[in-house]
PDB file of all heavy atoms in Angstrom:
ATOM      1  N   SER A   1      89.831 115.009  70.369  1.00 41.00           N
ATOM      2  CA  SER A   1      90.458 115.909  71.018  1.00 41.00           C
ATOM      3  C   SER A   1      92.022 115.829  71.163  1.00 41.00           C
ATOM      4  O   SER A   1      92.438 114.720  71.208  1.00 41.00           O
ATOM      5  CB  SER A   1      89.860 116.353  72.422  1.00 41.00           C
ATOM      6  OG  SER A   1      90.211 115.219  73.216  1.00 41.00           O
ATOM      7  N   ALA A   2      92.794 116.916  71.370  1.00 40.00           N
ATOM      8  CA  ALA A   2      94.152 116.785  71.558  1.00 40.00           C
ATOM      9  C   ALA A   2      94.437 116.233  72.921  1.00 40.00           C
ATOM     10  O   ALA A   2      93.713 116.476  73.802  1.00 40.00           O
ATOM     11  CB  ALA A   2      94.829 118.131  71.375  1.00 40.00           C
ATOM     12  N   PRO A   3      95.574 115.672  73.111  1.00 41.00           N
ATOM     13  CA  PRO A   3      95.894 115.043  74.407  1.00 41.00           C
ATOM     14  C   PRO A   3      95.941 116.168  75.494  1.00 41.00           C
ATOM     15  O   PRO A   3      96.439 117.310  75.177  1.00 41.00           O
ATOM     16  CB  PRO A   3      97.212 114.549  74.211  1.00 41.00           C
ATOM     17  CG  PRO A   3      97.384 114.130  72.792  1.00 41.00           C
ATOM     18  CD  PRO A   3      96.534 115.216  72.102  1.00 41.00           C
ATOM     19  N   HIS A   4      95.437 115.930  76.619  1.00 42.00           N
ATOM     20  CA  HIS A   4      95.349 116.889  77.632  1.00 42.00           C
ATOM     21  C   HIS A   4      96.642 116.822  78.573  1.00 42.00           C
ATOM     22  O   HIS A   4      96.933 115.606  78.915  1.00 42.00           O
ATOM     23  CB  HIS A   4      94.193 116.601  78.527  1.00 42.00           C
ATOM     24  CG  HIS A   4      93.870 117.758  79.565  1.00 42.00           C
ATOM     25  ND1 HIS A   4      94.643 117.863  80.675  1.00 42.00           N
ATOM     26  CD2 HIS A   4      92.975 118.820  79.459  1.00 42.00           C
ATOM     27  CE1 HIS A   4      94.123 118.871  81.315  1.00 42.00           C
ATOM     28  NE2 HIS A   4      93.271 119.557  80.649  1.00 42.00           N
ATOM     29  N   PRO A   5      97.399 117.793  78.864  1.00 40.00           N
ATOM     30  CA  PRO A   5      98.734 117.663  79.551  1.00 40.00           C
ATOM     31  C   PRO A   5      98.615 117.095  80.881  1.00 40.00           C
ATOM     32  O   PRO A   5      99.501 116.475  81.441  1.00 40.00           O
ATOM     33  CB  PRO A   5      99.220 119.098  79.553  1.00 40.00           C
ATOM     34  CG  PRO A   5      98.072 120.047  79.342  1.00 40.00           C
ATOM     35  CD  PRO A   5      96.993 119.264  78.467  1.00 40.00           C
ATOM     36  N   ALA A   6      97.417 117.297  81.628  1.00 44.00           N
ATOM     37  CA  ALA A   6      97.282 116.826  82.974  1.00 44.00           C
ATOM     38  C   ALA A   6      96.639 115.407  83.028  1.00 44.00           C
ATOM     39  O   ALA A   6      96.265 114.870  84.066  1.00 44.00           O
ATOM     40  CB  ALA A   6      96.420 117.789  83.687  1.00 44.00           C
ATOM     41  N   ARG A   7      96.537 114.707  81.804  1.00 46.00           N
ATOM     42  CA  ARG A   7      95.724 113.448  81.795  1.00 46.00           C
ATOM     43  C   ARG A   7      96.579 112.505  82.580  1.00 46.00           C
ATOM     44  O   ARG A   7      97.749 112.242  82.420  1.00 46.00           O
ATOM     45  CB  ARG A   7      95.783 113.075  80.324  1.00 46.00           C
ATOM     46  CG  ARG A   7      94.907 111.824  80.065  1.00 46.00           C
ATOM     47  CD  ARG A   7      94.691 111.611  78.622  1.00 46.00           C
ATOM     48  NE  ARG A   7      93.727 112.602  78.239  1.00 46.00           N
ATOM     49  CZ  ARG A   7      93.307 112.721  77.034  1.00 46.00           C
ATOM     50  NH1 ARG A   7      93.630 111.947  76.067  1.00 46.00           N
ATOM     51  NH2 ARG A   7      92.496 113.650  76.590  1.00 46.00           N
ATOM     52  N   VAL A   8      95.841 111.752  83.421  1.00 47.00           N
ATOM     53  CA  VAL A   8      96.408 110.488  84.061  1.00 47.00           C
ATOM     54  C   VAL A   8      95.501 109.273  83.873  1.00 47.00           C
ATOM     55  O   VAL A   8      94.286 109.421  83.996  1.00 47.00           O
ATOM     56  CB  VAL A   8      96.422 110.848  85.579  1.00 47.00           C
ATOM     57  CG1 VAL A   8      96.895 109.743  86.339  1.00 47.00           C
ATOM     58  CG2 VAL A   8      97.253 112.175  85.834  1.00 47.00           C
ATOM     59  N   HIS A   9      96.180 108.265  83.440  1.00 46.00           N
ATOM     60  CA  HIS A   9      95.363 107.134  83.054  1.00 46.00           C
ATOM     61  C   HIS A   9      95.543 106.008  84.101  1.00 46.00           C
ATOM     62  O   HIS A   9      96.614 105.796  84.710  1.00 46.00           O
ATOM     63  CB  HIS A   9      95.776 106.450  81.720  1.00 46.00           C
ATOM     64  CG  HIS A   9      95.328 107.344  80.609  1.00 46.00           C
ATOM     65  ND1 HIS A   9      94.019 107.354  80.165  1.00 46.00           N
ATOM     66  CD2 HIS A   9      96.072 108.275  79.832  1.00 46.00           C
ATOM     67  CE1 HIS A   9      94.036 108.270  79.139  1.00 46.00           C
ATOM     68  NE2 HIS A   9      95.196 108.682  78.899  1.00 46.00           N
ATOM     69  N   SER A  10      94.564 105.145  84.373  1.00 49.00           N
ATOM     70  CA  SER A  10      94.777 103.968  85.158  1.00 49.00           C
ATOM     71  C   SER A  10      94.402 102.750  84.327  1.00 49.00           C
ATOM     72  O   SER A  10      93.712 102.949  83.314  1.00 49.00           O
ATOM     73  CB  SER A  10      93.882 104.060  86.494  1.00 49.00           C
ATOM     74  OG  SER A  10      92.500 103.698  86.119  1.00 49.00           O
ATOM     75  N   PRO A  11      94.826 101.571  84.705  1.00 47.00           N
ATOM     76  CA  PRO A  11      94.353 100.422  83.914  1.00 47.00           C
ATOM     77  C   PRO A  11      92.903 100.283  83.640  1.00 47.00           C
ATOM     78  O   PRO A  11      92.424  99.809  82.559  1.00 47.00           O
ATOM     79  CB  PRO A  11      94.905  99.182  84.695  1.00 47.00           C
ATOM     80  CG  PRO A  11      95.998  99.792  85.585  1.00 47.00           C
ATOM     81  CD  PRO A  11      95.588 101.292  85.938  1.00 47.00           C
ATOM     82  N   ASP A  12      92.043 100.707  84.613  1.00 48.00           N
ATOM     83  CA  ASP A  12      90.614 100.616  84.487  1.00 48.00           C
ATOM     84  C   ASP A  12      90.019 101.599  83.360  1.00 48.00           C
ATOM     85  O   ASP A  12      88.961 101.384  82.928  1.00 48.00           O
ATOM     86  CB  ASP A  12      89.986 100.915  85.792  1.00 48.00           C
ATOM     87  CG  ASP A  12      90.246  99.757  86.766  1.00 48.00           C
ATOM     88  OD1 ASP A  12      90.429  98.640  86.382  1.00 48.00           O
ATOM     89  OD2 ASP A  12      90.352 100.042  87.963  1.00 48.00           O
ATOM     90  N   GLU A  13      90.791 102.555  83.098  1.00 46.00           N
ATOM     91  CA  GLU A  13      90.294 103.632  82.084  1.00 46.00           C
ATOM     92  C   GLU A  13      90.625 103.147  80.623  1.00 46.00           C
ATOM     93  O   GLU A  13      90.145 103.920  79.628  1.00 46.00           O
ATOM     94  CB  GLU A  13      91.045 104.933  82.356  1.00 46.00           C
ATOM     95  CG  GLU A  13      90.636 105.493  83.747  1.00 46.00           C
ATOM     96  CD  GLU A  13      91.505 106.745  83.773  1.00 46.00           C
ATOM     97  OE1 GLU A  13      91.425 107.673  83.019  1.00 46.00           O
ATOM     98  OE2 GLU A  13      92.303 106.864  84.871  1.00 46.00           O
ATOM     99  N   ALA A  14      91.312 102.079  80.400  1.00 52.00           N
ATOM    100  CA  ALA A  14      91.655 101.657  79.026  1.00 52.00           C
ATOM    101  C   ALA A  14      90.523 101.752  78.108  1.00 52.00           C
ATOM    102  O   ALA A  14      90.726 102.072  76.907  1.00 52.00           O
ATOM    103  CB  ALA A  14      92.360 100.341  79.070  1.00 52.00           C
ATOM    104  N   ALA A  15      89.342 101.362  78.386  1.00 60.00           N
ATOM    105  CA  ALA A  15      88.257 101.253  77.376  1.00 60.00           C
ATOM    106  C   ALA A  15      87.568 102.584  77.088  1.00 60.00           C
ATOM    107  O   ALA A  15      86.862 102.818  76.228  1.00 60.00           O
ATOM    108  CB  ALA A  15      87.303 100.238  77.787  1.00 60.00           C
ATOM    109  N   LEU A  16      87.765 103.569  77.899  1.00 76.00           N
ATOM    110  CA  LEU A  16      87.121 104.960  77.726  1.00 76.00           C
ATOM    111  C   LEU A  16      88.082 105.617  76.640  1.00 76.00           C
ATOM    112  O   LEU A  16      89.172 105.369  76.641  1.00 76.00           O
ATOM    113  CB  LEU A  16      87.179 105.732  79.081  1.00 76.00           C
ATOM    114  CG  LEU A  16      86.251 105.293  80.109  1.00 76.00           C
ATOM    115  CD1 LEU A  16      86.424 106.220  81.320  1.00 76.00           C
ATOM    116  CD2 LEU A  16      84.732 105.257  79.659  1.00 76.00           C
ATOM    117  N   SER A  17      87.290 106.416  75.886  1.00 81.00           N
ATOM    118  CA  SER A  17      87.996 107.056  74.772  1.00 81.00           C
ATOM    119  C   SER A  17      88.938 108.159  75.289  1.00 81.00           C
ATOM    120  O   SER A  17      88.940 108.453  76.502  1.00 81.00           O
ATOM    121  CB  SER A  17      87.055 107.713  73.739  1.00 81.00           C
ATOM    122  OG  SER A  17      86.472 108.934  74.363  1.00 81.00           O
ATOM    123  N   GLU A  18      89.823 108.735  74.498  1.00 85.00           N
ATOM    124  CA  GLU A  18      90.704 109.734  74.884  1.00 85.00           C
ATOM    125  C   GLU A  18      90.070 111.039  75.241  1.00 85.00           C
ATOM    126  O   GLU A  18      90.700 111.965  75.734  1.00 85.00           O
ATOM    127  CB  GLU A  18      91.886 109.869  73.953  1.00 85.00           C
ATOM    128  CG  GLU A  18      91.327 110.379  72.479  1.00 85.00           C
ATOM    129  CD  GLU A  18      92.520 110.479  71.581  1.00 85.00           C
ATOM    130  OE1 GLU A  18      93.327 109.626  71.486  1.00 85.00           O
ATOM    131  OE2 GLU A  18      92.555 111.511  70.807  1.00 85.00           O
ATOM    132  N   ASP A  19      88.767 111.110  74.907  1.00 87.00           N
ATOM    133  CA  ASP A  19      87.951 112.411  75.288  1.00 87.00           C
ATOM    134  C   ASP A  19      87.690 112.422  76.843  1.00 87.00           C
ATOM    135  O   ASP A  19      87.140 113.395  77.291  1.00 87.00           O
ATOM    136  CB  ASP A  19      86.637 112.449  74.505  1.00 87.00           C
ATOM    137  CG  ASP A  19      86.856 112.653  73.009  1.00 87.00           C
ATOM    138  OD1 ASP A  19      87.856 113.225  72.683  1.00 87.00           O
ATOM    139  OD2 ASP A  19      86.090 111.980  72.256  1.00 87.00           O
ATOM    140  N   PHE A  20      87.994 111.276  77.510  1.00 92.00           N
ATOM    141  CA  PHE A  20      87.821 111.271  78.970  1.00 92.00           C
ATOM    142  C   PHE A  20      89.250 111.252  79.643  1.00 92.00           C
ATOM    143  O   PHE A  20      90.187 110.608  79.096  1.00 92.00           O
ATOM    144  CB  PHE A  20      87.216 109.951  79.488  1.00 92.00           C
ATOM    145  CG  PHE A  20      85.739 109.834  79.110  1.00 92.00           C
ATOM    146  CD1 PHE A  20      85.334 109.335  77.901  1.00 92.00           C
ATOM    147  CD2 PHE A  20      84.767 110.250  79.979  1.00 92.00           C
ATOM    148  CE1 PHE A  20      83.993 109.138  77.543  1.00 92.00           C
ATOM    149  CE2 PHE A  20      83.442 110.232  79.605  1.00 92.00           C
ATOM    150  CZ  PHE A  20      82.989 109.555  78.528  1.00 92.00           C
ATOM    151  N   TRP A  21      89.363 111.993  80.691  1.00 93.00           N
ATOM    152  CA  TRP A  21      90.642 112.003  81.371  1.00 93.00           C
ATOM    153  C   TRP A  21      90.398 112.522  82.900  1.00 93.00           C
ATOM    154  O   TRP A  21      89.432 113.198  83.147  1.00 93.00           O
ATOM    155  CB  TRP A  21      91.726 112.804  80.640  1.00 93.00           C
ATOM    156  CG  TRP A  21      91.493 114.347  80.552  1.00 93.00           C
ATOM    157  CD1 TRP A  21      91.782 115.216  81.477  1.00 93.00           C
ATOM    158  CD2 TRP A  21      90.883 115.029  79.538  1.00 93.00           C
ATOM    159  NE1 TRP A  21      91.334 116.555  81.075  1.00 93.00           N
ATOM    160  CE2 TRP A  21      90.805 116.420  79.886  1.00 93.00           C
ATOM    161  CE3 TRP A  21      90.227 114.626  78.315  1.00 93.00           C
ATOM    162  CZ2 TRP A  21      90.223 117.319  79.048  1.00 93.00           C
ATOM    163  CZ3 TRP A  21      89.720 115.550  77.568  1.00 93.00           C
ATOM    164  CH2 TRP A  21      89.685 116.920  77.871  1.00 93.00           C
ATOM    165  N   TRP A  22      91.395 112.131  83.684  1.00 94.00           N
ATOM    166  CA  TRP A  22      91.262 112.497  85.066  1.00 94.00           C
ATOM    167  C   TRP A  22      92.239 113.626  85.331  1.00 94.00           C
ATOM    168  O   TRP A  22      93.325 113.711  84.768  1.00 94.00           O
ATOM    169  CB  TRP A  22      91.748 111.374  86.092  1.00 94.00           C
ATOM    170  CG  TRP A  22      90.739 110.372  86.234  1.00 94.00           C
ATOM    171  CD1 TRP A  22      90.715 109.122  85.500  1.00 94.00           C
ATOM    172  CD2 TRP A  22      89.634 110.317  87.043  1.00 94.00           C
ATOM    173  NE1 TRP A  22      89.658 108.329  85.882  1.00 94.00           N
ATOM    174  CE2 TRP A  22      88.975 109.091  86.833  1.00 94.00           C
ATOM    175  CE3 TRP A  22      89.118 111.320  87.965  1.00 94.00           C
ATOM    176  CZ2 TRP A  22      87.771 108.887  87.619  1.00 94.00           C
ATOM    177  CZ3 TRP A  22      87.932 110.895  88.660  1.00 94.00           C
ATOM    178  CH2 TRP A  22      87.259 109.669  88.441  1.00 94.00           C
ATOM    179  N   VAL A  23      91.872 114.733  86.057  1.00 96.00           N
ATOM    180  CA  VAL A  23      92.685 115.676  86.580  1.00 96.00           C
ATOM    181  C   VAL A  23      92.861 115.576  88.088  1.00 96.00           C
ATOM    182  O   VAL A  23      91.801 115.718  88.691  1.00 96.00           O
ATOM    183  CB  VAL A  23      92.182 117.136  86.014  1.00 96.00           C
ATOM    184  CG1 VAL A  23      93.051 118.259  86.731  1.00 96.00           C
ATOM    185  CG2 VAL A  23      92.104 117.203  84.606  1.00 96.00           C
ATOM    186  N   ASP A  24      93.950 115.429  88.550  1.00 94.00           N
ATOM    187  CA  ASP A  24      94.250 115.251  89.976  1.00 94.00           C
ATOM    188  C   ASP A  24      94.870 116.548  90.594  1.00 94.00           C
ATOM    189  O   ASP A  24      95.760 117.135  90.025  1.00 94.00           O
ATOM    190  CB  ASP A  24      95.224 114.208  90.211  1.00 94.00           C
ATOM    191  CG  ASP A  24      94.742 112.714  89.849  1.00 94.00           C
ATOM    192  OD1 ASP A  24      93.463 112.533  90.224  1.00 94.00           O
ATOM    193  OD2 ASP A  24      95.277 111.987  89.218  1.00 94.00           O
ATOM    194  N   THR A  25      94.263 117.022  91.720  1.00 92.00           N
ATOM    195  CA  THR A  25      94.813 117.943  92.531  1.00 92.00           C
ATOM    196  C   THR A  25      94.937 117.466  93.936  1.00 92.00           C
ATOM    197  O   THR A  25      94.451 116.313  94.235  1.00 92.00           O
ATOM    198  CB  THR A  25      93.921 119.250  92.547  1.00 92.00           C
ATOM    199  OG1 THR A  25      92.674 118.959  93.283  1.00 92.00           O
ATOM    200  CG2 THR A  25      93.544 119.746  91.084  1.00 92.00           C
ATOM    201  N   PRO A  26      95.702 118.268  94.819  1.00 89.00           N
ATOM    202  CA  PRO A  26      95.714 117.713  96.160  1.00 89.00           C
ATOM    203  C   PRO A  26      94.386 117.433  96.904  1.00 89.00           C
ATOM    204  O   PRO A  26      94.308 116.598  97.703  1.00 89.00           O
ATOM    205  CB  PRO A  26      96.471 118.803  96.872  1.00 89.00           C
ATOM    206  CG  PRO A  26      97.371 119.481  95.847  1.00 89.00           C
ATOM    207  CD  PRO A  26      96.446 119.405  94.636  1.00 89.00           C
ATOM    208  N   ALA A  27      93.376 118.219  96.472  1.00 91.00           N
ATOM    209  CA  ALA A  27      92.087 118.203  97.180  1.00 91.00           C
ATOM    210  C   ALA A  27      91.153 117.154  96.512  1.00 91.00           C
ATOM    211  O   ALA A  27      90.249 116.695  97.268  1.00 91.00           O
ATOM    212  CB  ALA A  27      91.407 119.566  97.150  1.00 91.00           C
ATOM    213  N   LYS A  28      91.282 116.978  95.231  1.00 96.00           N
ATOM    214  CA  LYS A  28      90.250 115.986  94.504  1.00 96.00           C
ATOM    215  C   LYS A  28      90.838 115.580  93.208  1.00 96.00           C
ATOM    216  O   LYS A  28      91.721 116.109  92.727  1.00 96.00           O
ATOM    217  CB  LYS A  28      88.993 116.714  94.403  1.00 96.00           C
ATOM    218  CG  LYS A  28      88.983 117.917  93.460  1.00 96.00           C
ATOM    219  CD  LYS A  28      87.552 118.512  93.224  1.00 96.00           C
ATOM    220  CE  LYS A  28      87.656 119.648  92.320  1.00 96.00           C
ATOM    221  NZ  LYS A  28      86.331 120.308  92.210  1.00 96.00           N
ATOM    222  N   SER A  29      90.070 114.606  92.697  1.00 96.00           N
ATOM    223  CA  SER A  29      90.317 114.055  91.318  1.00 96.00           C
ATOM    224  C   SER A  29      88.977 114.432  90.560  1.00 96.00           C
ATOM    225  O   SER A  29      87.884 114.175  91.106  1.00 96.00           O
ATOM    226  CB  SER A  29      90.689 112.729  91.323  1.00 96.00           C
ATOM    227  OG  SER A  29      91.843 112.336  91.796  1.00 96.00           O
ATOM    228  N   THR A  30      89.189 114.890  89.327  1.00 97.00           N
ATOM    229  CA  THR A  30      87.892 115.179  88.520  1.00 97.00           C
ATOM    230  C   THR A  30      88.001 114.380  87.175  1.00 97.00           C
ATOM    231  O   THR A  30      89.029 114.484  86.507  1.00 97.00           O
ATOM    232  CB  THR A  30      87.778 116.689  88.247  1.00 97.00           C
ATOM    233  OG1 THR A  30      87.691 117.434  89.510  1.00 97.00           O
ATOM    234  CG2 THR A  30      86.582 116.961  87.441  1.00 97.00           C
ATOM    235  N   LEU A  31      86.957 113.709  86.808  1.00 96.00           N
ATOM    236  CA  LEU A  31      86.803 112.996  85.578  1.00 96.00           C
ATOM    237  C   LEU A  31      86.277 113.957  84.566  1.00 96.00           C
ATOM    238  O   LEU A  31      85.102 114.463  84.807  1.00 96.00           O
ATOM    239  CB  LEU A  31      86.046 111.759  85.594  1.00 96.00           C
ATOM    240  CG  LEU A  31      85.867 111.016  84.316  1.00 96.00           C
ATOM    241  CD1 LEU A  31      87.232 110.498  83.749  1.00 96.00           C
ATOM    242  CD2 LEU A  31      85.029 109.799  84.448  1.00 96.00           C
TER     243      LEU A  31
END
């Protein structure tokens, strides 16, 4: 997939493929 503009990575996410990403809002984070 194309890079997601809201993608936020942490060091622990390094091994997950780029098809996974976190979206952070003030109320929650969604994988």
Side-chain angles (χ1 to χ4, degrees):
S1 66
H4 192 281
R7 187 171 290 179
V8 177
H9 292 284
S10 75
D12 293 327
E13 297 175 56
L16 289 177
S17 78
E18 65 184 40
D19 292 325
F20 289 90
W21 65 88
W22 287 99
V23 174
D24 293 312
T25 67
K28 67 180 177 180
S29 294
T30 301
L31 179 61

